Amino acid sequence: MTAVMPAVPDGQLYRILLIEDDLGDALLVEELLHDTGLRFELTVRTTLNEARADLAGGSVDCILLDLHLPDVSGIDAVTAVRGLAPHTAVIVLTGLSEAQAGANAMAAGAQDYLVKGKVDGELLHRTVRYAVYRSRTERTNSEAQAARLRAEENARLERGLLPQPILDTSTVRVTTRYLPGAAWALLGGDFLDVVEGEEGLLHAVVGDVSGHGPDAAALGVFLRIAWRSLVLGGHRGNELLHLMERILIAERGSQNLFATCTILTLDQGAATATLHLAGHHEPLLTTPDGTQELAAAHGIALGVVPGLRKWPSTVVPLPASGALTLYTDGLTEGHNGATGERLGVDGLLTLIGNLPTADPAAHVDLLIEETNALNAGRHSDDLAVLRLDWGNQPSRRA
């Protein structure tokens, strides 16, 4: 099977770096390049050390490399050049007596090799074009593979940060949304979960680990799993937060990470919600009369002062029908349109008041869309939203 190289657009400029200490050979290469008919810019360096700045600058399309330089030779030269410019085409120049050197150079990462004294303009034309095409293809494949690995890692982290709620008989409707700070980035440390206990109470958590990236996300996964396991094991309130803090300290290692969270227990029978705020802001309560921020006692974030165990509880009466929204600060820290100020809780409440409220899932989606539009990409943070609706609501997750 014959591979046909796609045509290179007419007029393409090749930026070529020749690393050759023999000025006579360098002159011959330049003359051959003129014979190729290619448009090129040629830079000549006599040692690898002289070429380092050119290689590191990323402005070279093709490197013509002599294997016998004053400061490096043989396969070491190829390895050094590939290390400095891993995505740039490398063509090795060998002598007539070096039958195996070219093959060894390709095994070390060079795209091709040419034997000095046996090169004409046509051969050099084909070799340069093919080497550049091949290196660009390798780079594209490498970037695609990196993107696939990133997506797979995101998916694994997402399963840990955004689990399926455990709901048995509850009539509460659960709506969850999560957005990382940037589409290409790993998920951050925001986490949420909902579990129905054996006593019929609904338990929920929303939390935020300081920082972004895989370390914060991993710690968020640990805390989310710990919370679910501890709740199912019967732990509540201060004891639950104390155990979560111990796990955070053990898992964060030498990193100075901390976490804020809100834990909530919803008792439909008693029509109450019990809140514990660990450095986190208050949830929002939506009733037929509108949406307001709940007044609740504040406690310290997990991991800031280990052992203090200061997490007071607040019991809030609930209407027969309504919704509680727990969220991370990615929803409020963006800008409020062109004013230059942050949206804040007041801006969020104003925004909520102007949105249709018929469907909880659609309402949350529209709220996130509107806050993003106001922010206009000027500030990015992870965002997690958990909304619990009760009273004339079907029991399902949105």
Side-chain angles (χ1 to χ4, degrees):
M1 180 177 178
T2 302
V4 179
M5 186 181 70
V8 176
D10 291 338
Q12 178 174 341
L13 176 67
Y14 291 88
R15 297 164 299 179
I16 298 173
L17 173 64
L18 172 61
I19 310 177
E20 169 66 76
D21 64 322
D22 188 318
L23 296 182
D25 285 348
L27 182 59
L28 290 174
V29 169
E30 183 174 4
E31 291 176 351
L32 285 170
L33 282 170
H34 283 292
D35 292 340
T36 63
L38 297 172
R39 289 184 64 234
F40 68 90
E41 289 180 354
L42 179 64
T43 301
V44 181
R45 304 296 184 214
T46 58
T47 66
L48 176 62
N49 191 51
E50 286 184 4
R52 287 182 181 275
D54 303 286
L55 294 170
S59 60
V60 177
D61 297 311
C62 182
I63 302 162
L64 300 177
L65 175 65
D66 179 39
L67 286 183
H68 301 286
L69 299 172
D71 51 351
V72 67
S73 62
I75 299 305
D76 290 342
V78 179
T79 303
V81 167
R82 291 287 292 173
L84 292 167
H87 301 298
T88 303
V90 178
I91 301 172
V92 165
L93 304 176
T94 69
L96 292 171
S97 62
E98 300 174 299
Q100 189 60 33
N104 292 340
M106 292 186 67
Q111 271 67 42
D112 212 331
Y113 71 95
L114 294 170
V115 179
K116 294 179 180 180
K118 291 191 174 182
V119 184
D120 58 21
E122 183 179 352
L123 176 59
L124 184 57
H125 178 111
R126 292 199 305 269
T127 304
V128 169
R129 286 183 57 187
Y130 177 74
V132 171
Y133 166 74
R134 181 181 170 190
S135 70
R136 288 174 178 172
T137 301
E138 290 173 351
R139 180 172 186 171
T140 299
N141 291 340
S142 176
E143 291 173 348
Q145 176 66 10
R148 284 194 294 270
L149 292 175
R150 239 185 350 254
E152 291 171 2
E153 187 171 358
N154 272 348
R156 287 193 296 272
L157 287 171
E158 185 174 353
R159 287 194 297 271
L161 292 166
L162 307 175
Q164 288 290 331
I166 298 179
L167 302 175
D168 297 323
T169 61
S170 176
T171 59
V172 175
R173 176 173 179 172
V174 179
T175 303
T176 61
R177 295 293 185 267
Y178 186 103
L179 292 176
W184 52 267
L186 290 171
L187 295 173
D190 292 8
F191 60 94
L192 53 84
D193 202 354
V194 178
V195 168
E196 184 179 1
E198 292 184 356
E199 72 277 59
L201 303 180
L202 198 70
H203 305 278
V205 63
V206 165
D208 184 1
V209 177
S210 60
H212 302 279
D215 292 329
L219 189 54
V221 172
F222 281 126
L223 291 176
R224 201 281 305 163
I225 294 173
W227 177 87
R228 174 175 282 201
S229 301
L230 291 168
V231 166
L232 291 175
H235 298 279
R236 304 288 182 262
N238 273 33
E239 180 191 16
L240 169 61
L241 288 165
H242 172 62
L243 293 173
M244 290 177 65
E245 184 174 61
R246 290 185 60 188
I247 292 169
L248 180 148
I249 293 168
E251 296 296 341
R252 73 182 177 184
S254 61
Q255 300 183 79
N256 192 27
L257 296 176
F258 64 90
T260 68
C261 70
T262 293
I263 60 173
L264 177 149
T265 298
L266 194 155
D267 185 343
Q268 283 190 276
T272 61
T274 302
L275 299 171
H276 290 79
L277 307 181
H280 212 76
H281 44 258
E282 298 90 336
L284 306 178
L285 175 63
T286 298
T287 69
D289 296 326
T291 299
Q292 62 181 353
E293 188 177 39
L294 289 175
H298 283 258
I300 193 167
L302 304 181
V304 173
V305 185
L308 183 60
R309 302 180 68 164
K310 185 179 179 182
W311 301 293
S313 64
T314 301
V315 178
V316 179
L318 299 178
S321 179
L324 282 167
T325 302
L326 288 69
Y327 61 94
T328 57
D329 54 15
L331 195 63
T332 55
E333 285 197 345
H335 288 76
N336 188 7
T339 64
E341 299 178 352
R342 301 297 182 187
L343 180 64
V345 176
D346 290 340
L348 182 66
L349 291 173
T350 299
L351 190 59
I352 290 173
N354 294 328
L355 296 178
T357 60
D359 179 73
H363 183 270
V364 171
D365 288 336
L366 190 56
L367 179 61
I368 294 173
E369 180 182 332
E370 291 293 326
T371 57
N372 286 340
L374 287 171
N375 193 29
R378 291 172 294 182
H379 173 79
S380 61
D381 194 6
D382 307 309
L383 183 157
V385 180
L386 167 61
R387 173 167 165 155
L388 307 174
D389 285 78
W390 66 90
N392 302 319
Q393 295 287 353
S395 176
R396 60 187 178 89
R397 184 190 183 198

